[in-house]
Amino acid sequence: MKLNITEEVQSDINQMINGESLCLKLVYDTDECGCGVNGVPLLVISSGGLPQEEKVEQPEGIPTYIFKDQAVFFDEEMTVKKNNQHYMLTSPNRILNPRLQIIRREWN
């Protein structure tokens, strides 16, 4: 799996991280969405990878991970870009989230 992040978005993420040693996690969030197949993609700023995660190929930027069991909800190649004031997660075939949130959250 490959995730491209545009320079503009990477700059925003760097400001959010503010020099801390953190990573990104591409997450399919199902909280308050009903069942486990109803969810929304999020980009989460968090600390290092967990055993149930795998590294996502990202040409530049900070290390990025995905939960192995959530990979089915994503495409093989995706891009995070900015559309007006919103972030957007797309692939060559579709828009995965037109209003992608980038948040901070910790997992244990």
Side-chain angles (χ1 to χ4, degrees), residues 5-107:
I5 298 177
T6 64
E7 286 183 30
E8 184 179 20
V9 175
Q10 188 66 51
S11 177
D12 290 351
I13 291 169
N14 288 341
Q15 287 179 0
M16 292 177 209
I17 290 173
N18 196 24
E20 295 178 67
S21 181
L22 298 171
C23 67
L24 294 175
K25 297 175 192 257
L26 184 59
V27 176
Y28 191 74
D29 187 22
T30 58
D31 289 349
E32 299 180 23
C33 290
C35 71
V37 295
N38 293 330
V40 61
L42 298 175
L43 198 56
V44 177
I45 298 169
S46 187
S47 55
L50 299 170
Q52 64 269 31
E53 296 173 332
E54 61 185 31
K55 196 162 188 176
V56 173
E57 181 184 342
Q58 185 190 7
E60 296 180 22
I62 64 175
T64 304
Y65 299 90
I66 186 170
F67 288 103
K68 294 174 189 175
D69 61 347
Q70 293 182 353
V72 68
F73 298 110
F74 297 99
D75 291 344
E76 199 54 41
E77 185 169 342
M78 297 165 289
T79 301
V80 178
K81 57 187 173 185
K82 208 167 188 177
N83 183 18
N84 296 320
Q85 296 302 312
H86 302 285
Y87 301 108
M88 182 179 228
L89 179 64
T90 65
S91 75
N93 300 320
R94 62 187 174 138
I95 297 172
L96 290 107
N97 189 341
R99 290 189 176 225
L100 180 72
Q101 290 183 6
I102 301 175
I103 63 170
R104 287 183 79 137
R105 183 188 295 171
E106 290 299 323
W107 274 276

